[in-house]
Amino acid sequence: MATRTSGPTGPRFTFTAALWEYEGKGAWIFVSVPVDESEVIRKLTAGQRNAFGSVRVLARIDDSRWPTSLFYSSASGQFLLPVKKSIRVAEGLEIGSTARVEIALVL
């Protein structure tokens, strides 16, 4: 179950999701933002998204925090959060691992 609160940077969303690998070029690793929260983020960021429909966020998994962007997937109707290798190593995560994720929109 995801939750939404307000924070100093903008709305915050907390959810649990599994890490998965993008099958295209680049071997990116992502977690998918739940559909309901993705829809809220789409509405909140209408007209403010950057290249590729990206949205700036501050992300957190356990003790790791980093600035990044969410990317919208029209195929799934969800925003995708890339999880870089340094974060995965620091938190002991692998593809298929489940993580508690917090994102704060930077509006």
Side-chain angles (χ1 to χ4, degrees), residues 44-90:
L44 289 172
T45 61
Q48 299 178 43
R49 290 185 289 274
N50 300 312
F52 306 107
S54 66
V55 176
R56 291 182 55 218
V57 297
L58 296 176
R60 177 180 181 183
I61 295 177
D62 296 329
D63 293 328
S64 297
R65 297 172 191 226
W66 72 104
T68 189
S69 294
L70 300 176
F71 298 92
Y72 188 71
S73 168
S74 57
S76 68
Q78 295 172 280
F79 279 96
L80 309 177
L81 172 70
V83 182
K84 57 188 177 178
K85 184 175 183 178
S86 61
I87 302 300
R88 298 191 315 267
V89 169

Side-chain angles (χ1 to χ4, degrees), residues 13-40:
F13 301 85
T14 304
F15 56 93
T16 301
L19 281 75
W20 58 274
E21 184 173 10
Y22 174 68
E23 294 179 5
K25 187 176 181 180
W28 289 85
I29 308 298
F30 293 98
V31 295
S32 299
V33 177
V35 173
D36 290 344
E37 286 69 23
S38 290
E39 184 59 31
V40 171

Side-chain angles (χ1 to χ4, degrees), residues 1-5 12-15 37 100:
M1 180 174 157
T3 59
R4 177 181 168 204
T5 59
R12 248 178 242 225
F13 301 85
T14 304
F15 56 93
E37 286 69 23
R100 184 175 179 278

